[in-house]
Amino acid sequence: AKAEGRNNYRFFLPSMHERVKERKTIEEDLRNALEHDQLELFYQPKVDCLSEKVVGAEALVRWNHPERGLILPGDFISVAEECGLINKLGAWVLREACKQTQIWRENGMPELRMAVNLSPAQFQDADLLRTVTRTIETTKLPHGTLELEITESILMNNPEKAVSTLKELKKLGVGIAIDDFGTGYSSLNYLKRFPVTSIKIDRSFVNDINVDQDDKAIVDAVIGLGHSLHLAVVAEGVEQVEQLQYLQNKGCDFIQGFLFSRPLPVRDFEEWVRDRRE
Ligand code: C2E
Ligand code: CA
Ligand code: CA
Ligand code: CA
């Protein structure tokens, strides 16, 4: 019945509704994807800035669409948010990432932390704490292994609620990273109030670190601010060795970026980690 509906859309809707139709199609396909195992997690290594040893991974969701091939989250996360599928999708991502971490722990991989992205809607979901608690229990992840990446907007929406949710997560041993730091509201006093553990400098600042004086100043300031608040500072989008060297000199703590590795399917990630240890 689902496939039929999809074909009907394709056939009957007028072209001026192309975009709406496209959304509808993605929405239907996405419901289907959740039921038919079409989602897959890729893992990007997180590396210690000085030693360049891998310390963890960020889970990034991909969609293996039967007709369209590999689809990136930029093309379906917002649809999932709008049609109310994000909580289901997010719970799957969380479970899958934690299960994988547990498998690695049992199979002699180095002990890695696992970072999972949370959408604003997931953060507001009344079931979030229950889902996280259950997932950590069933996968027996030790404290400090799971980290959730959230954006600043989450904190600004309902600060009181956000503080209490974050405190509960902290009790569960879950780390909190502020993603895309510097691109949102960046209200500095919030950083002090919220029990967060790290900030991730957005890759737009890292990009021009060696050519743009303003970006350099922002990165220096964020590292200084993070450290004075006892937060770990992560730089994302590191592609060039000059960027790495700059960040190493400034005492940045962790690095992610294509310089080390793109996000990889699980087998490739395992191989990458193994090769790096030798
Ligand atoms: P993000 O959390 O900021 O993730 C980093 C994005 O930057 C990833 O894109 C990654 O592939 C890319 N990236 C990493 N290193 C480099 C680099 O050196 N250069 C460049 N140019 N890009 C780099 P991706 O995987 O397409 O994800 C895009 C966004 O989708 C993520 O941004 C995140 O906001 C969202 N997302 C991904 N997976 C999930 C998920 O499971 N749940 C939710 N709610 N959102 C997700
Ligand atoms: Ca992220
Ligand atoms: Ca980011
Ligand atoms: Ca982002």
Side-chain angles (χ1 to χ4, degrees):
K2 256 176 197 140
E4 249 173 58
R6 207 162 60 209
N7 290 333
N8 285 340
Y9 278 125
R10 281 208 187 118
F11 202 72
F12 290 113
L13 283 183
S15 61
M16 64 179 291
H17 291 142
E18 201 66 32
R19 264 176 59 91
V20 179
K21 187 186 79 172
E22 170 79 3
R23 288 240 132 179
K24 273 278 169 225
T25 309
I26 298 178
E27 183 182 328
E28 284 209 13
D29 285 2
L30 194 53
R31 284 182 203 284
N32 203 38
L34 278 162
E35 280 152 32
H36 292 91
D37 241 18
Q38 292 170 10
L39 298 181
E40 180 179 356
L41 293 185
F42 277 31
Y43 299 94
Q44 185 179 39
K46 199 174 274 191
V47 170
D48 182 277
C49 194
L50 270 189
S51 72
E52 298 181 26
K53 282 199 174 115
V54 55
V55 293
E58 176 176 1
L60 294 153
V61 69
R62 302 297 183 247
W63 178 5
N64 295 303
H65 193 285
E67 289 134 40
R68 301 183 188 201
L70 192 79
I71 307 183
L72 293 172
D75 291 327
F76 65 89
I77 288 290
S78 63
V79 178
E81 280 166 350
E82 281 163 30
C83 71
L85 277 176
I86 191 66
N87 289 330
K88 203 169 169 203
L89 188 155
W92 180 85
V93 169
L94 186 69
R95 241 183 358 255
E96 186 70 15
C98 290
K99 270 198 302 204
Q100 189 57 63
T101 313
Q102 182 196 29
I103 291 171
W104 286 337
R105 296 179 63 83
E106 287 167 356
N107 293 350
M109 283 269 278
E111 297 207 343
L112 300 178
R113 292 199 287 266
M114 177 61 73
V116 171
N117 292 284
L118 273 199
S119 284
Q122 281 177 272
F123 193 74
Q124 271 142 28
D125 180 21
D127 278 340
L128 174 71
L129 288 172
R130 217 171 313 143
T131 307
V132 173
T133 306
R134 206 182 313 124
T135 306
I136 290 180
E137 271 170 13
T138 49
T139 52
K140 303 183 194 70
L141 288 190
H143 269 223
T145 302
L146 176 65
E147 189 173 51
L148 297 176
E149 300 196 352
I150 63 175
T151 50
E152 290 158 286
S153 61
I154 286 180
L155 306 179
M156 308 293 289
N157 270 345
N158 184 348
E160 270 67 47
K161 181 84 195 322
V163 169
S164 84
T165 304
L166 291 179
K167 280 186 178 153
E168 291 303 317
L169 288 169
K170 190 178 180 183
K171 278 189 213 155
L172 294 170
V174 176
I176 300 292
I178 307 293
D179 210 346
D180 307 338
F181 188 78
T183 61
Y185 301 87
S186 298
S187 174
L188 297 183
N189 82 37
Y190 276 96
L191 271 189
K192 203 175 65 181
R193 278 183 54 199
F194 291 105
V196 304
T197 36
S198 61
I199 47 184
K200 296 185 79 171
I201 307 175
D202 191 67
R203 77 165 183 266
S204 59
F205 304 116
V206 174
N207 217 11
D208 288 336
I209 216 174
N210 288 299
V211 284
D212 187 318
Q213 290 303 318
D214 294 339
D215 286 345
K216 202 176 280 203
I218 289 170
V219 168
D220 294 358
V222 172
I223 293 173
L225 172 78
H227 287 167
S228 65
L229 293 171
H230 308 291
L231 304 174
V233 179
V234 185
E236 59 178 13
V238 177
E239 295 180 358
Q240 297 155 9
V241 74
E242 293 78 16
Q243 294 165 339
L244 171 68
Q245 284 162 350
Y246 185 88
L247 292 159
Q248 285 174 329
N249 284 331
K250 294 292 174 175
C252 185
D253 301 292
F254 303 107
I255 302 281
Q256 272 179 269
F258 294 172
L259 176 66
F260 292 102
S261 171
R262 291 174 177 269
L264 299 169
V266 62
R267 294 291 160 255
D268 296 345
F269 178 84
E270 290 168 351
E271 207 176 298
W272 186 91
V273 172
R274 245 180 265 121
D275 287 351
R276 226 179 144 74
R277 279 165 102 194
E278 284 161 3

